[in-house]
Amino acid sequence: MVTVPGVDIGRPAVVIIAGPCAVESEEQLLSTARAVKAGGARILRGGAFKPRTSPYSFQGLKEEGLRLLALARAETGLPVVTEVMDARHLEMVSSCADILQIGSRNMQNFTLLEEVGKCRMPVLLKRGMSATLAEYLQAAEYVMKGGNDQVVLCERGIRTFEPSTRNTLDLNAIPMLKRETHLPALVDPSHGTGHWWMVPRLACAAVAAGADGLLVEVHCDPPSALSDGAHALTPGAFEQMMKEVASIAAAVGRPLK
Amino acid sequence: MVTVPGVDIGRPAVVIIAGPCAVESEEQLLSTARAVKAGGARILRGGAFKPRTSPYSFQGLKEEGLRLLALARAETGLPVVTEVMDARHLEMVSSCADILQIGSRNMQNFTLLEEVGKCRMPVLLKRGMSATLAEYLQAAEYVMKGGNDQVVLCERGIRTFEPSTRNTLDLNAIPMLKRETHLPALVDPSHGTGHWWMVPRLACAAVAAGADGLLVEVHCDPPSALSDGAHALTPGAFEQMMKEVASIAAAVGRPLK
Amino acid sequence: MVTVPGVDIGRPAVVIIAGPCAVESEEQLLSTARAVKAGGARILRGGAFKPRTSPYSFQGLKEEGLRLLALARAETGLPVVTEVMDARHLEMVSSCADILQIGSRNMQNFTLLEEVGKCRMPVLLKRGMSATLAEYLQAAEYVMKGGNDQVVLCERGIRTFEPSTRNTLDLNAIPMLKRETHLPALVDPSHGTGHWWMVPRLACAAVAAGADGLLVEVHCDPPSALSDGAHALTPGAFEQMMKEVASIAAAVGRPLK
Amino acid sequence: MVTVPGVDIGRPAVVIIAGPCAVESEEQLLSTARAVKAGGARILRGGAFKPRTSPYSFQGLKEEGLRLLALARAETGLPVVTEVMDARHLEMVSSCADILQIGSRNMQNFTLLEEVGKCRMPVLLKRGMSATLAEYLQAAEYVMKGGNDQVVLCERGIRTFEPSTRNTLDLNAIPMLKRETHLPALVDPSHGTGHWWMVPRLACAAVAAGADGLLVEVHCDPPSALSDGAHALTPGAFEQMMKEVASIAAAVGRPLK
């Protein structure tokens, strides 16, 4: 069990983490944060430092983004998860985050893993896009070896030959991780599919498969999003998804709170 | 909607198809058939002609296997799905089957697809293990072009880099197929995982993702199975799985009958 | 060593097989056949029965295509390799071919493998697009178990996540197959890349890796080809490629004849 | 063209970079360095900081390893390439290296790429194990955007479903990269195969495909290597490989010096 102020990740509740891919502005972040809180999310996500495939894409608001996340936390009371891309930013990111996210591309950035292993803060370690589950658990071991056992895993889709979806969400990973480790395991159906209209169905599937929570991207205006608008839910779609997820969670005997 | 005597595949019911990987003996088949019927399966599966990677593995009872399937149908009243591997066996297999299965390895055996396209019998066309969804729908088109539109699709796991599971079950395929075609789409969590203990979780996930049914392998004594014992459920485990699947089906507003 | 009239496949010569993807007309086939003979090919390839992803694509000239292949053989003296897709066509195809090709999609069409195993004719068995090398050798075993040990292997690219090429040519396969089996192993750089301008470089790489020959698509007018024009070489480009291949073959101590 | 003291990478010469996976001791490094120089290598490779899948594996000699590399350079006159895993080590590594290597796992460690982009030193950027070529070129762009255009690419095998080799060496990448960019492109047949006995064949294939050089692991005593002994060549095997590579290089009109 990993504990964030006010939220236990791991059994029994299915914990929903939601928010925009990137923090873009005060208004964008606050309106989305309020909406996901109203919809039932328990933790707010939002990227201030954004690892982008191209150097010419929007790279995040960085320090200003962190400031806005702190503001959103103060306003909504939701704890915040945000990505740290570089050990040199760790102090700055830690001061605004409740959970440090290590992104897929950094799953084997071993010196970064060692640094977050020295923190005493929960770490959300996303699976690398072509990492085997054995490699994934060894990456978690890099964090835990440093003394930080507050690690949360997250399946987010793997790279396969199928071109119609951004990634192939590997839900087999959930029962396998549950068997191999005590760590909580979440699912990110947003990156795992790449299409907003598929997200609710895979969110339900993830909970049915035994996931301890979901990481879902929500944007107040997806067509204008500076990154990953194609898989962002509107607040209304998120609210609808939450009703469906609640039914599935109830069917597997788990509350959302 | 595809109709088998007594069963509609497609909305609203989630249809469970269960039985052994291979027909091995009268006793093995009948005991398993009775058990899956008691557990709530609506269609019996069982292989008489078995496509095996090695020529030195058990290849199925062939004609004798078909005879036993007909016997099991007579005894239980369950319609039967069984694989046809060769156009030359089509008449023989058709005489004992209610649904013709085209296996993954034959998804692009185009002359076989054309032949079953000339039948007036439902066809369960499994996805090839490295087929894109676009290729899969074109394979279905080979059947339908011949005039047979009674095609049922089935996601059964794709080949990826992950070694801990036999295949990676691609549940993204379900909402994508639902969007791209009117054909019913099932999921085979047995081949999709390769581990019996994972099957119930992925079966539930499949139903939550919107699958119109499941294809599940059940064996009265998995350790002695002549093929694929590692992912076969015992009758008891199947019964337990059905309870869990029923809860999920109810949560998505679908009956099992 | 596998022997076709006038040609030994296996050491020491590197055997070049060339011709169009599909037989389209007498003029197209004969002009291409003459050109590849002039360029140094020792065997003519050409498809009469074409396995196509879509049922609405050109499916080959079938029986008429076989007649044209026999004509091209009579005119050029080149032995012919052509694909057999269905056991029911075996007698017809055998009467016109010197080597029976089993295509990638049929690598695990086990009843077809068993039938060609009963022939006493060389078989060119292409690797399936997602077959492991272990599965590939077991497929060859299906042929050899029937008593036909005249099997030639052919690496033709595997399916991966890389989208810029049609397949990923797996040249690691050549030394691995050489270590695991006595069977000759060819490479098809046309399907393995999907781009005509890459073919000569990968053809040279294949010979340097130890391939016993090449299977290359050549068309007298690629832009008008009814299938796979994107990777077909013109006769002129083929001639140029042969010079480069001859240098590499010489460097590894093997003749082209 | 990228220039290291005494060596131009890019046409016309094929540049061979060789040395141990990891620097293990003065004797191990110096004996291997002398051997690869004698065999014809023009640049010495050796890892001081080692990114290892497990935190419990040997992690490299770190600063002491860099000192030994400087010593080997002084003794043999060979320029040195070594990996930098963390921006905080950049000054230390730069002081001992002639080329900075960014390993596969860090191909999308964007802050590290930006830092080496501020250096005025050549960078050897290895392809990520599941990176598309488009993503790979965008990673190079992160370095070049900072003003450092001394980037050398290196194909080192991609992750596929094939289990018999450590990776699948993607030689299609070489002509594709040559068409898409002016940057030199090397091949690493050691990681690309995972088996020492396959390395010479794929090294030859790489040169035939148009590679501008090779990165090859050599160890004075592979069975006692602290990492990746399975694909390390002995000095004798390296010498033999160099003869074969020289023949292929000559056949494609390129010297080794």
Side-chain angles (χ1 to χ4, degrees):
Chain A
M1 183 117 68
V2 172
T3 299
V4 191
V7 187
D8 290 337
I9 308 179
R11 299 201 158 264
V14 172
V15 173
I16 311 301
I17 305 175
C21 178
V23 177
E24 298 171 7
S25 70
E26 182 172 330
E27 192 190 324
Q28 173 251 14
L29 182 63
L30 290 183
S31 67
T32 306
R34 282 182 211 115
V36 302
K37 185 181 187 186
R42 314 232 0 248
I43 299 175
L44 176 66
R45 62 147 290 149
F49 291 90
K50 295 298 306 169
R52 303 301 300 279
T53 300
S54 165
Y56 308 116
S57 300
F58 174 60
Q59 305 279 313
L61 295 183
K62 301 182 178 165
E63 195 156 3
E64 167 68 3
L66 294 175
R67 196 187 62 77
L68 294 174
L69 285 166
L71 187 67
R73 174 173 52 184
E75 167 136 354
T76 60
L78 295 177
V80 162
V81 57
T82 195
E83 179 161 354
V84 58
M85 287 173 63
D86 192 309
R88 296 169 302 176
H89 307 154
L90 200 48
E91 196 177 326
M92 192 203 309
V93 177
S94 300
S95 70
C96 297
D98 299 285
I99 307 178
L100 297 168
Q101 179 174 317
I102 303 289
S104 290
R105 293 173 182 82
N106 281 318
M107 190 202 86
Q108 292 191 318
N109 182 338
F110 299 121
T111 59
L112 179 59
L113 296 178
E114 285 170 343
E115 290 298 326
V116 301
K118 293 177 197 157
C119 294
R120 290 299 166 269
M121 251 181 116
V123 174
L124 175 58
L125 176 63
K126 297 191 86 177
R127 183 181 181 185
M129 66 184 82
S130 66
T132 64
L133 295 176
E135 290 168 341
Y136 190 20
L137 291 176
Q138 287 171 309
E141 205 71 16
Y142 266 92
V143 179
M144 293 189 286
K145 183 167 179 265
N148 185 352
D149 60 0
Q150 298 284 94
V151 178
V152 179
L153 303 174
C154 182
E155 158 62 27
R156 46 75 73 200
I158 58 173
R159 186 153 271 189
T160 70
F161 61 82
E162 173 60 42
S164 71
T165 47
R166 175 167 168 165
N167 289 290
T168 296
L169 191 66
D170 177 13
L171 291 183
N172 287 358
I174 298 302
M176 186 60 85
L177 289 172
K178 287 286 159 197
R179 185 185 172 105
E180 298 289 331
T181 175
H182 65 291
L183 300 171
L186 312 182
V187 169
D188 172 352
S190 305
H191 289 89
T193 62
H195 300 294
W196 68 268
W197 53 269
M198 292 175 69
V199 170
R201 293 270 51 77
L202 275 296
C204 288
V207 173
D212 293 309
L214 299 171
L215 188 64
V216 180
E217 292 197 358
V218 178
H219 194 284
C220 48
D221 182 23
S224 73
L226 296 179
S227 67
D228 289 351
H231 65 228
L233 296 176
T234 60
F238 176 69
E239 193 185 342
Q240 176 58 32
M241 182 198 84
M242 287 297 283
K243 288 179 194 154
E244 296 171 31
V245 166
S247 297
I248 300 292
V252 296
R254 298 179 73 169
L256 288 190
K257 261 209 191 186
Chain B
M1 185 116 67
V2 172
T3 299
V4 190
V7 186
D8 291 336
I9 308 179
R11 298 203 157 260
V14 172
V15 173
I16 311 301
I17 305 176
C21 176
V23 177
E24 297 171 8
S25 70
E26 182 172 328
E27 192 190 324
Q28 173 250 14
L29 182 63
L30 290 183
S31 66
T32 306
R34 282 182 211 115
V36 301
K37 185 180 186 185
R42 313 234 359 247
I43 300 176
L44 176 66
R45 63 146 289 149
F49 291 91
K50 295 299 306 170
R52 302 303 299 281
T53 300
S54 163
Y56 308 116
S57 300
F58 174 60
Q59 305 277 313
L61 294 183
K62 300 181 178 168
E63 196 156 4
E64 167 68 2
L66 295 174
R67 196 185 64 73
L68 294 175
L69 285 166
L71 187 68
R73 172 173 54 186
E75 168 138 351
T76 61
L78 295 176
V80 162
V81 56
T82 196
E83 179 162 354
V84 58
M85 287 173 61
D86 192 309
R88 296 169 303 176
H89 306 153
L90 199 49
E91 196 177 327
M92 193 203 307
V93 177
S94 300
S95 70
C96 297
D98 300 284
I99 307 178
L100 296 168
Q101 179 174 318
I102 303 288
S104 291
R105 292 174 182 82
N106 281 318
M107 190 203 87
Q108 292 191 316
N109 181 338
F110 298 121
T111 60
L112 179 58
L113 296 178
E114 284 170 344
E115 290 298 326
V116 300
K118 293 177 197 157
C119 294
R120 291 300 166 266
M121 249 179 117
V123 174
L124 174 58
L125 176 63
K126 297 190 87 175
R127 182 181 182 186
M129 65 184 83
S130 66
T132 65
L133 295 176
E135 290 167 341
Y136 189 20
L137 291 175
Q138 287 171 309
E141 205 70 17
Y142 266 92
V143 178
M144 293 189 286
K145 183 168 178 261
N148 185 352
D149 60 0
Q150 299 284 96
V151 177
V152 180
L153 302 174
C154 183
E155 158 62 26
R156 46 74 75 201
I158 59 174
R159 186 154 273 188
T160 71
F161 62 83
E162 172 59 42
S164 71
T165 48
R166 178 168 166 163
N167 290 289
T168 296
L169 191 66
D170 177 13
L171 291 182
N172 287 358
I174 298 302
M176 186 59 85
L177 290 171
K178 287 286 159 196
R179 184 183 172 106
E180 298 289 330
T181 175
H182 65 291
L183 299 172
L186 312 182
V187 169
D188 172 351
S190 304
H191 289 89
T193 61
H195 299 295
W196 69 267
W197 53 271
M198 292 176 69
V199 169
R201 293 271 49 81
L202 275 297
C204 288
V207 173
D212 293 311
L214 299 171
L215 189 65
V216 180
E217 293 196 358
V218 178
H219 194 284
C220 48
D221 181 22
S224 72
L226 296 179
S227 66
D228 289 351
H231 64 227
L233 295 176
T234 59
F238 175 70
E239 194 185 342
Q240 176 58 30
M241 181 198 87
M242 287 296 284
K243 287 180 195 154
E244 296 172 29
V245 165
S247 296
I248 300 292
V252 296
R254 299 181 71 169
L256 288 189
K257 261 209 193 189
Chain C
M1 184 117 65
V2 172
T3 299
V4 191
V7 186
D8 290 337
I9 307 179
R11 300 204 155 258
V14 172
V15 173
I16 312 301
I17 304 175
C21 177
V23 177
E24 297 172 8
S25 70
E26 182 172 328
E27 192 190 323
Q28 173 251 12
L29 182 62
L30 289 184
S31 66
T32 306
R34 283 183 211 114
V36 301
K37 186 181 185 185
R42 313 230 6 245
I43 299 175
L44 176 66
R45 63 146 289 148
F49 291 91
K50 295 299 306 169
R52 301 302 300 279
T53 300
S54 164
Y56 307 117
S57 300
F58 174 61
Q59 306 277 313
L61 295 183
K62 299 182 178 165
E63 195 156 4
E64 167 67 2
L66 294 175
R67 195 187 62 73
L68 294 173
L69 284 166
L71 188 67
R73 174 172 53 186
E75 168 138 350
T76 60
L78 295 176
V80 161
V81 56
T82 196
E83 179 161 354
V84 56
M85 286 173 62
D86 191 308
R88 296 169 303 174
H89 305 154
L90 198 49
E91 196 178 326
M92 192 203 307
V93 177
S94 299
S95 71
C96 297
D98 300 285
I99 307 178
L100 296 167
Q101 179 174 315
I102 303 290
S104 291
R105 292 173 183 83
N106 281 317
M107 191 202 86
Q108 291 191 317
N109 181 338
F110 298 121
T111 61
L112 179 59
L113 296 178
E114 285 170 343
E115 289 299 325
V116 302
K118 293 177 196 156
C119 294
R120 290 298 167 267
M121 250 181 116
V123 174
L124 174 58
L125 176 63
K126 298 190 87 175
R127 183 181 180 185
M129 67 184 81
S130 67
T132 64
L133 295 176
E135 290 168 342
Y136 190 19
L137 291 175
Q138 287 171 308
E141 205 70 18
Y142 266 93
V143 179
M144 294 190 285
K145 182 167 180 266
N148 185 351
D149 59 2
Q150 298 284 96
V151 177
V152 179
L153 303 174
C154 184
E155 158 61 27
R156 47 74 75 201
I158 58 172
R159 185 154 273 188
T160 71
F161 61 81
E162 172 59 43
S164 71
T165 49
R166 177 167 166 165
N167 290 289
T168 296
L169 191 66
D170 177 13
L171 291 182
N172 286 359
I174 299 301
M176 186 58 87
L177 290 172
K178 288 286 160 196
R179 184 184 172 104
E180 298 289 330
T181 174
H182 66 291
L183 299 171
L186 312 182
V187 168
D188 172 351
S190 304
H191 289 88
T193 62
H195 300 294
W196 68 268
W197 53 270
M198 292 177 70
V199 170
R201 293 271 50 81
L202 276 297
C204 288
V207 173
D212 293 309
L214 300 171
L215 189 64
V216 179
E217 294 197 357
V218 178
H219 193 285
C220 48
D221 182 21
S224 72
L226 296 178
S227 66
D228 288 351
H231 64 228
L233 296 176
T234 60
F238 176 68
E239 194 187 340
Q240 175 58 33
M241 181 198 85
M242 287 297 283
K243 287 180 196 152
E244 296 171 29
V245 166
S247 297
I248 300 292
V252 296
R254 300 181 70 170
L256 287 189
K257 258 207 195 189
Chain D
M1 185 116 69
V2 172
T3 298
V4 191
V7 186
D8 290 337
I9 307 180
R11 297 200 158 264
V14 172
V15 173
I16 311 302
I17 304 175
C21 178
V23 177
E24 298 172 8
S25 70
E26 183 173 329
E27 191 190 324
Q28 174 250 13
L29 182 63
L30 289 184
S31 65
T32 306
R34 283 182 210 116
V36 301
K37 185 180 186 187
R42 311 230 5 246
I43 299 175
L44 176 66
R45 64 146 289 151
F49 291 90
K50 296 299 306 169
R52 303 302 299 280
T53 300
S54 164
Y56 308 116
S57 300
F58 173 60
Q59 306 276 314
L61 294 183
K62 303 183 176 166
E63 195 156 4
E64 166 69 2
L66 294 174
R67 194 186 65 74
L68 294 174
L69 285 165
L71 186 68
R73 174 172 53 186
E75 167 139 351
T76 60
L78 295 177
V80 161
V81 55
T82 197
E83 179 161 354
V84 57
M85 287 173 63
D86 191 309
R88 296 169 301 174
H89 307 153
L90 200 48
E91 196 178 326
M92 193 203 308
V93 177
S94 300
S95 69
C96 297
D98 300 284
I99 307 178
L100 296 168
Q101 179 174 317
I102 303 289
S104 290
R105 292 175 182 82
N106 280 317
M107 191 203 85
Q108 292 191 318
N109 181 338
F110 298 122
T111 59
L112 179 59
L113 296 178
E114 284 171 343
E115 290 298 326
V116 300
K118 292 178 199 158
C119 294
R120 290 299 166 269
M121 250 182 116
V123 174
L124 174 58
L125 176 63
K126 298 191 85 175
R127 182 181 183 186
M129 65 184 83
S130 67
T132 66
L133 295 176
E135 290 167 341
Y136 190 20
L137 291 175
Q138 288 171 309
E141 205 69 17
Y142 266 92
V143 179
M144 294 189 286
K145 183 167 180 265
N148 185 351
D149 60 1
Q150 298 283 95
V151 177
V152 179
L153 303 173
C154 183
E155 158 62 27
R156 48 75 73 201
I158 58 174
R159 185 154 273 189
T160 70
F161 61 81
E162 173 60 42
S164 71
T165 48
R166 176 166 166 165
N167 289 289
T168 296
L169 191 67
D170 177 13
L171 291 182
N172 286 359
I174 299 301
M176 186 58 86
L177 290 172
K178 288 283 157 198
R179 184 186 172 104
E180 298 289 331
T181 175
H182 65 291
L183 300 172
L186 312 182
V187 169
D188 172 352
S190 304
H191 290 89
T193 61
H195 300 295
W196 69 268
W197 53 270
M198 293 177 68
V199 170
R201 293 271 50 80
L202 275 297
C204 288
V207 173
D212 293 311
L214 299 172
L215 189 64
V216 180
E217 293 197 357
V218 178
H219 193 285
C220 47
D221 181 22
S224 71
L226 296 179
S227 67
D228 288 352
H231 65 228
L233 296 176
T234 59
F238 176 68
E239 193 186 341
Q240 175 58 32
M241 182 198 85
M242 287 297 284
K243 287 181 195 153
E244 297 172 29
V245 166
S247 297
I248 300 292
V252 296
R254 297 181 73 169
L256 287 189
K257 261 211 187 181

